Amino acid sequence: MRRAYKFLLRPTSKQQQALREMLADHRVLYNAALQERRDAYRHSSQTRIRYGDQSGQLKAIRAFDPDRQVDAGWGQFLAILANKAESAGRRVIRVDARNTSRTCPDCGHVAKHNRVSQAEFVCQHCGYIANADVVGSVNILSRAGLVLSDTA
């Protein structure tokens, strides 16, 4: 049996404005990072811009403008989600989502090549085939169960 839960978020006008500002900040940062990568790619010196280098620049950006914390929007979303879950008698479980769409739920094999395409998952070790989103969801659900068993 499959269960689905939907949470309707009704932010106040002040929260909506804050979310709009956070989205605008994220959009500007993302586009700037993409442009920096494009420029580096086109440059004759073949300079490489890595994700780690760009994420390291976020500290400088946050220090430059501490009133507009980039991660505050995500934290606010998680707080709203936790409140909605609590009012529905549910709880939010934080799960490390790394490699959830690359890990086989059948044998546990983790590999980049397990993800054949955006939508298809084929385990290179045991041959398990499924939709990649379903595999990621099953792995997150499994990790949430492990988190619960560790705390219980």
Side-chain angles (χ1 to χ4, degrees):
M1 177 167 63
R2 211 178 255 202
R3 293 183 184 166
Y5 301 100
K6 292 184 179 181
F7 296 99
L8 180 61
L9 301 177
R10 293 189 184 117
T12 64
S13 59
K14 195 173 187 180
Q15 290 170 333
Q16 283 180 338
Q17 180 62 29
L19 288 171
R20 271 191 226 104
E21 289 175 8
M22 285 298 148
L23 180 62
D25 288 344
H26 281 88
R27 185 174 41 245
V28 167
L29 283 172
Y30 182 77
N31 288 335
L34 282 177
Q35 188 60 44
E36 186 178 16
R37 287 182 182 186
R38 280 188 205 114
D39 293 345
Y41 179 78
R42 291 180 185 138
H43 197 266
S44 61
S45 68
Q46 297 296 319
T47 318
R48 288 188 169 200
I49 302 292
R50 293 188 174 88
Y51 173 79
D53 298 335
Q54 288 183 325
S55 63
Q57 294 171 352
L58 283 176
K59 289 181 182 178
I61 292 169
R62 288 184 187 128
F64 176 74
D65 195 359
D67 293 333
R68 301 185 84 145
Q69 292 292 319
V70 176
D71 291 335
W74 183 248
Q76 190 173 21
F77 168 74
L78 290 176
I80 293 169
L81 181 64
N83 288 336
K84 290 290 185 177
E86 184 180 343
S87 68
R90 306 282 179 219
R91 64 180 167 172
V92 175
I93 301 169
R94 292 180 184 260
V95 175
D96 182 9
R98 281 182 287 185
N99 291 323
T100 52
S101 63
R102 296 177 177 183
T103 304
C104 178
D106 211 30
C107 70
H109 177 68
V110 181
K112 181 180 181 180
H113 300 293
N114 284 348
R115 194 74 186 263
V116 178
S117 67
Q118 181 67 27
E120 189 179 5
F121 177 90
V122 178
C123 180
Q124 303 298 311
H125 184 70
C126 71
Y128 179 82
I129 299 172
N131 180 290
D133 291 336
V134 171
V135 168
S137 300
V138 167
N139 285 328
I140 288 173
L141 182 62
S142 173
R143 289 183 187 183
L146 290 174
V147 169
L148 285 177
S149 65
D150 287 347
T151 60

